[in-house]
Amino acid sequence: MAEITADLIKRLREATGAGMMDCKKALSESGGNFDDSVDWLRKKGLAAAQKKAGRVAAEGLVAVVVEGGRGAVVEVNSETDFVARNDKFQCFVGAVAKLAVQSKDLQDLTAKPIPGAGKTVADKLTDLMATIGENMSLRRMATLSAGTGVVASYAHSALAPGLGKIGVLVALESTGDKGKLAALGKQLAMHVAAANPQALSIDAVDAAVVERERAVLTDKAKASGRPEAVIGKMVEGGLRKFFEEVALLEQTYVIDNETKIKDVVEKAAKEIGAPVKVTGFVRMALGEGIERAK
C-alpha cells in the first residue's frame, strides 16, 4: 500500500474537486493508488458532485412541516425548476423538513441520518447531485415553537403538500379552541406569504432601520419647505405608514383589505374563547438573496 501523504491528498482534490476527507477515504480504500482513487470518487458521485458545485443553484423547493407545537421550514436549492418536480428530489426535501423539526441548526441537520436511507442528509444530497446531474444545496432552515397554542404552516405555489416556493410558519399562543386557533394561524400564514412583513410588531422593527427611515422622511419633509411644526407631523405620519408596511400586526389584512392584523386577531379571540397572541413568524422565499446569472 502506497503512503497516503498530504501532497497526494492535495493532488486528488485538485483533480476531482472532492472534499479533503473524501479524498483521504478514497486513497485509503484504493490502497493509495491515485487512478483507482479517482474512479472510487466518481463511482460514489463525489467527484461529479463537487464539479457541479460552482454552478448557481437558485431554484428548488421550500418545505414546511409542523409536528405538535413545533414547526420547521427548509430551503433546498437546485439549478433548474425542472428538478423541483422530480419525485426523488421532493421526497428528499420533505424528509429533510421532518428532520429539521428536531434539529438545532443547519450543521446538526446535515449530519442527521435519513430514516430508511442508511445515509446522512449530506450524503443523500451528494447522491442526488450525482444522479440528477445538477448542483444542489441545503441552504437554510428555521424552526418555530408554541407552548399552549399552535404553530400553523402554509406553502405557497405548492407542488405537493408542504412543498412550494414560499414557506411560512406562524406561532399563536392561546388556551382557546385549538381547531379554530389553527384555522386563524393558517389564514395569517397566507397573509404573511403575500404581504412579506419584516417584523412582528412596531417594537420588533430594528431600531437602526427605523432611524434610517426617520432620516429619509425628515430630509424629504424639509425639502418641501414646510414650517418646522408641520415637518414633525409629516415625519410621524410617514413612520406610521412605514410601520403599516413592515410590521405584521400593523399591516392591513390581505383577505379583506381593510382590517389591521392586530384587530383580526382580537376579533378571532372571541370565537376561539380565550385571548390570542401572535408570538412569531417565519417566511422563507425560494432563492431570495441569491445572485443569479444574467
Side-chain angles (χ1 to χ4, degrees):
M1 178 176 175
E3 183 182 1
I4 300 175
T5 64
D7 183 65
L8 190 59
I9 294 172
K10 181 182 178 183
R11 282 179 54 213
L12 187 58
R13 285 190 68 188
E14 291 173 347
T16 64
M20 182 182 71
M21 296 307 295
D22 290 325
C23 288
K24 187 175 181 180
K25 185 174 182 180
L27 287 163
S28 178
E29 292 289 331
S30 306
N33 184 284
F34 186 87
D35 291 336
D36 288 347
S37 298
V38 172
D39 291 341
W40 188 92
L41 287 167
R42 290 183 65 193
K43 290 175 184 177
K44 295 293 183 181
L46 296 170
Q50 291 296 329
K51 288 179 180 178
K52 297 181 183 75
R55 306 203 297 248
V56 176
E59 298 295 338
L61 287 170
V62 174
V64 287
V65 170
V66 174
E67 293 181 356
R70 187 173 171 86
V73 55
V74 300
E75 178 183 359
V76 183
N77 297 123
S78 60
E79 291 179 56
T80 65
D81 181 61
F82 179 76
V83 172
R85 303 177 187 280
N86 182 291
D87 289 341
K88 290 182 179 179
F89 183 74
Q90 290 185 3
C91 287
F92 171 75
V93 178
V96 169
K98 289 181 180 179
L99 290 172
V101 176
Q102 301 303 326
S103 298
K104 295 180 292 184
D105 51 32
L106 202 59
Q107 183 177 358
D108 181 36
L109 175 58
T110 57
K112 274 186 162 48
I114 295 179
K119 296 184 177 183
T120 65
V121 169
D123 289 339
K124 185 63 179 177
L125 182 61
T126 298
D127 284 352
L128 276 178
M129 289 168 65
T131 302
I132 296 176
E134 286 196 11
N135 182 27
M136 300 175 193
S137 67
L138 173 52
R139 185 184 179 206
R140 52 183 174 160
M141 63 158 282
T143 59
L144 200 60
S145 300
T148 58
V150 302
V151 173
S153 67
Y154 171 66
H156 184 65
S157 297
L159 295 179
L163 301 173
K165 301 296 185 183
I166 299 175
V168 179
L169 298 172
V170 175
L172 303 172
E173 293 291 350
S174 179
T175 57
D177 185 285
K178 287 292 191 292
K180 293 180 179 179
L181 188 64
L184 171 64
K186 180 67 175 290
Q187 290 181 316
L188 293 180
M190 292 172 68
H191 168 91
V192 169
N196 191 19
Q198 303 302 301
L200 177 60
S201 62
I202 291 176
D203 292 340
V205 179
D206 188 292
V209 173
V210 176
E211 287 308 307
R212 186 164 62 247
E213 185 68 18
R214 187 187 297 277
V216 171
L217 290 169
T218 300
D219 287 346
K220 289 175 65 176
K222 286 180 178 179
S224 71
R226 301 291 181 84
E228 198 67 32
V230 176
I231 289 175
K233 292 180 180 179
M234 290 174 66
V235 171
E236 292 308 311
L239 281 176
R240 282 196 298 273
K241 185 176 180 180
F242 170 71
F243 288 132
E244 288 172 357
E245 293 174 352
V246 303
L248 173 59
L249 297 178
E250 302 300 318
Q251 287 183 329
T252 300
Y253 194 27
V254 295
I255 292 179
D256 67 14
N257 206 33
E258 61 180 39
T259 312
K260 285 192 174 185
I261 292 296
K262 60 184 179 183
D263 296 326
V264 170
V265 174
E266 185 177 349
K267 181 180 178 181
K270 296 176 182 177
E271 295 183 11
I272 292 170
V276 176
K277 183 178 182 181
V278 184
T279 56
F281 72 89
V282 175
R283 181 186 187 275
M284 197 174 284
L286 181 67
E288 59 188 352
I290 296 177
E291 186 174 344
R292 301 170 188 247
K294 297 181 180 179

